[in-house]
Amino acid sequence: MIRRVTVPALFPPPTYSHASVVEAGTKLAFLAGSVPLDAEGSIVGEGDPVRQAEQVMANLQEQLRAVGSDLAHVLHTEVYVVSSETSVLSAVWEVVEASGLSTGPHSSTLLGVACLGYAGQLVEITATAVVP
């Protein structure tokens, strides 16, 4: 159902694939950005991008569950981190890896950005997944 592609002519990515391919007729879910809010709408882990990434991953799993999918069926993510420091981006990516999301591995883009939608928000992840 999902074919992960690492292109031999390109530098091998450490924990993601260059592309993910699915057959026509497969049901896909395009998820809105998962944010570090709790059920009451409060920011979790204010000032702590690693704690926020953990909450984002927990929320992403809930989004996937709601559409009948899971982390194993994620094709692509975009990971947004409010930072220009690669060490901060790497720390957030370590949370993504530890979650099991990068097993596959899925294709992904990790971005340092100036700001995100909620005051105090440091991390957001969008995802596309197969619904088995």
Side-chain angles (χ1 to χ4, degrees), residues 3-20 104-106:
R3 183 169 55 94
R4 318 269 184 188
V5 179
T6 300
V7 181
L10 298 177
F11 183 79
T15 57
Y16 60 91
S17 64
H18 290 118
S20 299
H106 73 293

Side-chain angles (χ1 to χ4, degrees), residues 42-61:
S42 299
I43 289 282
V44 172
E46 189 143 351
D48 183 349
V50 169
R51 178 63 191 104
Q52 286 197 13
E54 292 166 349
Q55 183 66 43
V56 165
M57 290 307 305
N59 291 349
L60 180 60
Q61 289 182 64

Side-chain angles (χ1 to χ4, degrees), residues 10-97:
L10 298 177
F11 183 79
T15 57
Y16 60 91
S17 64
H18 290 118
S20 299
V21 180
V22 296
E23 294 293 322
T26 300
K27 188 187 291 188
L28 298 177
F30 298 88
L31 305 179
S34 178
V35 297
L37 300 180
D38 62 18
E40 289 75 42
S42 299
I43 289 282
V44 172
E46 189 143 351
D48 183 349
V50 169
R51 178 63 191 104
Q52 286 197 13
E54 292 166 349
Q55 183 66 43
V56 165
M57 290 307 305
N59 291 349
L60 180 60
Q61 289 182 64
E62 289 300 319
Q63 287 175 273
L64 289 163
R65 191 174 358 268
V67 298
S69 192
D70 57 30
L71 292 176
H73 290 91
V74 171
L75 300 171
H76 179 78
T77 58
E78 291 180 357
V79 181
Y80 301 92
V81 183
V82 176
S83 182
S84 61
E85 297 178 29
T86 56
S87 62
V88 175
L89 275 67
S90 293
V92 168
W93 186 254
E94 287 175 13
V95 174
V96 172
E97 283 186 300

